[in-house]
Amino acid sequence: MADKLKIGVDYYPEHWDKSLWKNDVRLMKEAGVNIVRMAEFAWSRLEPSEGVYSFGWLDEVISLFEEAGIEVFLCTPTSTPPQWLFEKYPEVIQSDRNKNRIPTGIRGHRCLNSPVYRKLAEKIIIKMVERYKDKKCVTGYQIDNELEANHCFCPVCEEKFRKWVISKYGTTDKLNKAYGNNVWSGEFSSFSQVKPPYGGHQQWLNPSHTLDFCRFASDSTADYVEFQYNLVKSIDKNALVTTNCWLCENMPDFYKLFQKLDFVSYDNYPALKLPEDKETLYSHSFHLDLMRGIKKKNFWIMEQLSGATGGWAPMAQTPRPGMLRGYAMQAVAHGADAVLHFRWRSAISGAEMFWHGIIDHSNVPGRRFEEFKQLCADIAKYSSIAGSQAKNSIALLYSSEHEYALKLQPQTEGMYYFGQLKSLHDAFSSIGLGVDIISEKEDLSAYKIIAAPTLFITNHEVAESLYKAARNGAAVIITNRTGVKDEYNKCVMQQLPSVYSELAGIHVAEYDPAGSGKLKLDIINKEWKQRYNKQYNPSPYCTQWCDLLECISAAPLAVYGGEFYKGIAAVTHNKYGKGNVYYIGTVMDRQSYISLAKVIAGEAGMQYIDKLPPGIEITQRYSTDGSKKWQFIFNNTTSRKEIFINGKNMEIEAFGMEIVEIEM
């Protein structure tokens, strides 16, 4: 169990004249900082030429933090190889889909599979960890920085992908059958013909082939992380080891990426300008719950919003009063035991000079610094929360498999995998219920409600797990675009939702990829209709996708209100075993999801808050011995809100957080 909550900053001493260091450390200590992260981009300063090392400057600044009693978390600097390395070893540079080496000069432009690169990375990592293994203030290492799946098309990756395919399928006959290579004369007669999906127009290529390359790219990154983890631990077995992630373009499989690591770390940049459209979901509570669910334990924030963001895009507005403090506490509420702000001071050079830190270019501490100081005081006040855990009865299932496949073959305009997940997460969050976002392969026995949206790629073990959960009394929610593909990304030759048809008690007779237009949705279930809040949306509607449902054993809860399928079931309920199964065949407006969540929660015997003001988020963390819990009430809006909770009225300012300690 963590002994205290950690609050700190990302610091780049190599960017600043050393005359600033002492005062920076003094000011951090005065503010209440108890941890700093350093060195993720400092390879060229640590090894200015091959085999020539310069750690003296880092020794000096670490000593300053040690004297101040501030913990130091270092990073392996492998995200930014020096220019001498690219010049001398150009084969380590990533190749694009056309086999061209990509331009260098920014960061991350190295192939994670390159044996030459790994050998050079190993040397700098060994030097760093051996140097600081006995420094008590240095407690651990972040591996690299914001790793994406290794979408590299160099000769090394071509050969490794070929070996990955051979290992998976064994024979070309099995491979051809799995991929459906009888289409367009795609059959392989030899494994020598297997190559990465080169060239543009990726959506013209065989989706089975491109999905496997996505899997390989993810596995390559997980293997790279394991390589660094084993290296660090072989030198300093007591060091904590993690890596930081974000929801990037080419996301790796997070469950594999963090499998060996001590904890998950995330880079958290919530919305600076809140949308006026009430249908737009902006809360990062979804991201935070996703991070907590990767290892089903608490996590760290390695980069937290500190100021206006910008650089390669126009600057966003500056954080409004309360945002910096509120968003950090929101992370704590969802399971963060450490929050480090990016960054201490805004850079004065480089691509990120307008991605603002706590202190502006002027180097004069201002409003955001004062708010950060107050946040540090809050963290110190509630330090006993450290190590307490979130425990929820609702699970939301996630898999990178579906995300990869749906990116490769988008189903209709405006429809995204994460959109379906966020809508269901928001629905239960909006009635005061916590949600665990977990791998679809996790044990589900502890959950009363299991939302499993868009199970696009069929995994039969997952299907059996959901059948079992329903038989045992859980409420199960499945949605459109479920059961569409087999494990090889080929369409199944069954009525949808294929393997889930018996569970849902329906067949999809036909579907309409409706796109971005809106279609009236008629809620015919009396309880659901009563709970629909017309104050926020006058009437229910659906959009993007319409499954035309034929009820076998299920009963319709809502029907379409227009088009040639007017009156046909859109949302259904089926009794299965001791449980209830809900099928959502379309994409609904926000209030439809929220009001349906009330029906489902009520049927599951869960207490919820019927009239929780929009934007109010309620989460719980429980002590490990079960003797107490902390209730976090966060106002994630731009205006003061009133709420009746725990038998009393409460007013919470914009982006304010109230924490209630409750003895169990």
Side-chain angles (χ1 to χ4, degrees):
M1 181 175 176
D3 59 345
K4 64 180 180 181
L5 294 175
K6 300 178 190 292
I7 183 71
V9 294
D10 302 316
Y11 188 51
Y12 299 87
E14 70 272 24
H15 295 179
W16 309 109
D17 189 274
K18 64 185 297 183
S19 63
L20 295 173
W21 294 351
K22 235 176 218 186
N23 192 57
D24 282 343
V25 175
R26 179 194 63 77
L27 202 55
M28 287 182 206
K29 184 69 174 177
E30 177 187 309
V33 165
N34 57 36
I35 186 170
V36 294
R37 181 191 71 153
M38 296 191 295
E40 78 266 33
F41 300 138
W43 193 344
S44 68
R45 297 300 300 272
L46 295 169
E47 190 180 5
S49 58
E50 186 173 7
V52 177
Y53 299 98
S54 178
F55 279 84
W57 64 273
L58 189 54
D59 294 343
E60 188 175 341
V61 77
I62 287 175
S63 294
L64 291 174
F65 285 115
E66 185 176 39
E67 290 169 15
I70 295 174
E71 180 182 343
V72 174
F73 210 87
L74 292 176
C75 307
T76 63
T78 49
S79 177
T80 52
Q83 293 305 303
W84 62 257
L85 189 152
F86 287 137
E87 181 182 45
K88 190 172 182 179
Y89 304 101
E91 65 268 35
V92 310
I93 302 170
Q94 274 191 16
S95 293
D96 64 21
R97 294 185 186 278
N98 296 314
K99 303 187 183 183
N100 298 317
R101 300 288 178 179
I102 63 176
T104 61
I106 310 174
R107 69 187 197 195
H109 299 327
R110 70 280 184 256
C111 173
L112 304 183
N113 286 323
S114 166
V116 175
Y117 166 71
R118 287 206 183 187
K119 186 176 180 181
L120 292 162
E122 181 176 317
K123 289 179 179 179
I124 189 68
I125 293 167
I126 290 172
K127 285 289 182 183
M128 174 179 275
V129 181
E130 284 187 339
R131 193 174 190 95
Y132 300 117
K133 65 180 180 180
D134 297 322
K135 271 279 185 187
K136 288 186 179 179
C137 69
V138 177
T139 57
Y141 295 87
Q142 172 192 296
I143 291 171
D144 211 272
N145 184 72
E146 293 184 343
L147 287 160
E148 298 195 28
N150 188 57
H151 281 248
C152 177
F153 298 80
C154 73
V156 169
C157 287
E158 178 177 317
E159 183 58 30
K160 285 194 74 113
F161 176 58
R162 185 176 295 116
K163 288 179 179 177
W164 186 94
V165 170
I166 292 170
S167 176
K168 182 172 181 177
Y169 297 102
T171 68
T172 54
D173 285 345
K174 288 182 179 178
L175 175 60
N176 286 327
K177 184 177 180 181
Y179 282 10
N181 280 338
N182 52 329
V183 174
W184 290 359
S185 294
E187 286 146 319
F188 298 117
S189 57
S190 166
F191 276 115
S192 63
Q193 296 153 15
V194 175
K195 297 176 182 178
Y198 290 122
H201 307 291
Q202 290 290 299
Q203 287 159 4
W204 281 89
L205 302 179
N206 186 329
S208 300
H209 181 194
T210 50
L211 177 59
D212 258 359
F213 186 76
C214 288
R215 290 164 169 156
F216 160 76
S218 176
D219 286 354
S220 296
T221 302
D223 178 76
Y224 172 74
V225 165
E226 186 174 349
F227 148 71
Q228 290 213 22
Y229 171 87
N230 290 338
L231 194 55
V232 172
K233 288 289 191 177
S234 70
I235 301 167
D236 185 356
K237 65 180 182 181
N238 296 317
L240 296 171
V241 183
T242 185
T243 189
N244 58 332
C245 69
W246 61 299
L247 303 190
C248 53
E249 176 64 24
N250 295 311
M251 283 189 294
D253 181 331
F254 291 137
Y255 305 105
K256 289 184 178 180
L257 186 76
F258 286 99
Q259 187 172 6
K260 275 200 166 185
L261 301 185
D262 294 310
F263 54 88
V264 170
S265 294
Y266 178 61
D267 293 351
N268 190 39
Y269 293 99
L272 281 164
K273 184 176 176 59
L274 273 53
E276 294 180 7
D277 176 18
K278 293 175 183 176
E279 294 296 309
T280 301
L281 306 179
Y282 61 85
S283 177
H284 265 223
S285 61
F286 173 85
H287 303 234
L288 300 167
D289 286 342
L290 175 61
M291 293 302 116
R292 189 184 67 253
I294 293 170
K295 292 181 76 72
K296 298 191 77 175
K297 60 191 281 190
N298 292 355
F299 59 97
W300 285 22
I301 299 295
M302 279 301 188
E303 295 184 14
Q304 175 71 21
L305 179 75
S306 296
T309 57
W312 42 88
M315 281 184 279
Q317 66 180 32
T318 196
R320 272 30 197 171
M323 267 188 178
L324 188 148
R325 183 179 169 199
Y327 281 150
M329 292 305 296
Q330 180 194 34
V332 172
H334 287 267
D337 276 348
V339 179
L340 285 78
H341 285 254
F342 183 88
R343 58 177 85 195
W344 173 244
R345 182 190 294 108
S346 304
I348 59 172
S349 59
E352 289 186 321
M353 69 177 81
F354 293 116
W355 197 287
H356 291 71
I358 290 169
I359 297 175
D360 288 329
H361 299 120
S362 65
N363 203 31
V364 177
R367 173 183 64 85
R368 296 196 310 283
F369 175 79
E370 292 302 322
E371 188 172 321
F372 177 70
K373 278 182 68 175
Q374 183 57 56
L375 168 64
C376 291
D378 292 343
I379 292 291
K381 178 181 176 183
Y382 291 108
S383 202
S384 61
I385 292 171
S388 60
Q389 303 284 324
K391 296 178 183 177
N392 297 304
S393 297
I394 302 173
L396 178 61
L397 306 190
Y398 164 74
S399 171
S400 58
E401 295 274 295
H402 311 308
E403 198 251 345
Y404 294 158
L406 286 160
K407 272 186 177 178
L408 293 169
Q409 289 187 303
Q411 297 295 282
T412 189
E413 180 187 356
M415 184 173 166
Y416 305 101
Y417 176 56
F418 274 104
Q420 302 243 46
L421 270 73
K422 287 182 178 181
S423 290
L424 286 164
H425 181 272
D426 173 73
F428 289 104
S429 299
S430 295
I431 58 175
L433 297 177
V435 179
D436 291 343
I437 304 175
I438 60 173
S439 167
E440 64 178 10
K441 298 175 184 177
E442 283 281 358
D443 176 22
L444 304 177
S445 59
Y447 294 101
K448 292 183 178 180
I449 299 174
I450 301 152
T454 320
L455 300 173
F456 194 62
I457 300 293
T458 301
N459 181 307
H460 288 276
E461 290 180 5
V462 173
E464 178 51 39
S465 180
L466 290 171
Y467 272 91
K468 181 181 178 182
R471 282 195 298 268
N472 291 339
V476 175
I477 306 166
I478 54 180
T479 75
N480 56 81
R481 310 319 287 145
T482 286
V484 176
K485 300 284 198 82
D486 66 14
E487 62 183 295
Y488 306 109
N489 207 18
K490 303 196 308 291
C491 283
V492 298
M493 203 170 173
Q494 292 176 266
Q495 276 193 300
L496 297 179
S498 62
V499 69
Y500 296 98
S501 292
E502 181 187 342
L503 182 66
I506 54 98
H507 287 142
V508 178
E510 189 180 353
Y511 54 72
D512 181 12
S516 60
K518 294 180 181 179
L519 179 67
K520 184 181 178 185
L521 185 70
D522 288 331
I523 297 173
I524 60 174
N525 176 266
K526 184 177 179 181
E527 186 182 0
W528 183 7
K529 196 169 187 177
Q530 286 176 341
R531 281 166 168 70
Y532 190 90
N533 194 334
K534 294 189 176 183
Q535 178 184 353
Y536 301 110
N537 208 28
S539 58
Y541 67 85
C542 58
T543 186
Q544 296 178 359
W545 192 271
C546 298
D547 278 344
L548 282 55
L549 304 181
E550 177 187 349
C551 292
I552 308 302
S553 58
L557 300 180
V559 299
Y560 296 109
E563 278 291 349
F564 66 89
Y565 39 88
K566 181 177 180 179
I568 291 179
V571 183
T572 60
H573 166 247
N574 188 44
K575 289 292 293 183
Y576 189 86
K578 297 177 183 177
N580 295 285
V581 182
Y582 302 85
Y583 187 92
I584 304 172
T586 186
V587 175
M588 305 185 294
D589 65 280
R590 189 178 183 188
Q591 281 302 313
S592 289
Y593 282 108
I594 293 170
S595 50
L596 179 59
K598 292 178 182 179
V599 174
I600 296 171
E603 186 69 29
M606 298 178 67
Q607 290 187 336
Y608 60 87
I609 301 175
D610 190 34
K611 296 181 180 179
L612 190 64
I616 295 291
E617 300 174 6
I618 298 177
T619 48
Q620 332 273 349
R621 286 179 59 158
Y622 296 81
S623 61
T624 52
D625 63 3
S627 63
K628 66 176 66 175
K629 73 174 180 179
W630 290 267
Q631 184 181 63
F632 298 81
I633 308 164
F634 178 46
N635 178 8
N636 196 359
T637 75
T638 56
S639 59
R640 180 181 292 270
K641 294 282 185 179
E642 291 185 9
I643 176 176
F644 183 78
I645 191 169
N646 300 325
K648 63 179 182 179
N649 286 310
M650 182 181 290
E651 285 194 3
I652 309 177
E653 64 186 355
F655 305 105
M657 172 75 77
E658 294 291 335
I659 303 175
V660 181
E661 187 173 324
I662 302 170
E663 297 292 333
M664 301 292 285

